[in-house]
């Protein structure tokens, strides 16, 4: 299990899309493992679950912001071409 290091918005903005997807997958996998440890009574640091949930939320928010920005760019380009 990796030690928790809080990721800043600037760091998330600096990631490319593939790295963001990988981080979401890794964080979700770790969250699953922590929940399993909690269920079996092996978890020693309960606060890590909350921290990971926040991290997943931040990553997904960054992903969604990028999706929205792409759609906005597309529609703005369509409006400028006059085909919108």
């Amino acid at each position: 299990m990796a030690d928790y290091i809080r990721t800043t918005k600037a760091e998330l903005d600096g990631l490319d899309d593939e790295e963001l997807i990988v981080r979401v997958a890794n964080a979700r996998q770790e969250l699953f493992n922590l929940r399993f440890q909690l269920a079996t009574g092996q978890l020693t640091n309960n606060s890590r679950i909350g921290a990971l949930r926040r991290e997943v939320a931040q990553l997904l928010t960054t992903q969604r912001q990028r999706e929205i920005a792409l759609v906005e760019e597309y529609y703005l380009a369509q409006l400028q071409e006059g085909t919108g």
Side-chain angles (χ1 to χ4, degrees), residues 7-46:
T7 306
T8 63
K9 181 171 178 358
E11 290 172 336
L12 292 178
D13 290 342
L15 297 176
D16 61 354
D17 292 339
E18 292 80 22
E19 178 66 23
L20 200 58
I21 291 168
V22 168
R23 280 200 172 182
V24 169
N26 289 342
R28 283 182 168 168
Q29 180 64 43
E30 186 176 350
L31 188 57
F32 172 81
N33 292 338
L34 289 177
R35 286 179 178 152
F36 192 85
Q37 288 177 13
L38 180 65
T40 60
Q42 298 175 355
L43 185 63
T44 57
N45 184 3
N46 293 348

Side-chain angles (χ1 to χ4, degrees):
M1 179 171 51
D3 292 329
Y4 178 68
I5 299 173
R6 185 173 169 108
T7 306
T8 63
K9 181 171 178 358
E11 290 172 336
L12 292 178
D13 290 342
L15 297 176
D16 61 354
D17 292 339
E18 292 80 22
E19 178 66 23
L20 200 58
I21 291 168
V22 168
R23 280 200 172 182
V24 169
N26 289 342
R28 283 182 168 168
Q29 180 64 43
E30 186 176 350
L31 188 57
F32 172 81
N33 292 338
L34 289 177
R35 286 179 178 152
F36 192 85
Q37 288 177 13
L38 180 65
T40 60
Q42 298 175 355
L43 185 63
T44 57
N45 184 3
N46 293 348
S47 65
R48 180 71 178 125
I49 290 177
L52 255 179
R53 288 182 64 199
R54 278 188 298 279
E55 183 177 338
V56 169
Q58 288 175 335
L59 291 166
L60 292 175
T61 299
T62 302
Q63 253 184 346
R64 182 65 181 143
Q65 287 171 340
R66 290 181 184 184
E67 290 172 3
I68 290 170
L70 285 174
V71 170
E72 286 176 348
E73 287 176 23
Y74 172 78
Y75 281 112
L76 284 175
Q78 293 297 317
L79 286 174
Q80 289 174 352
E81 291 176 7
T83 59

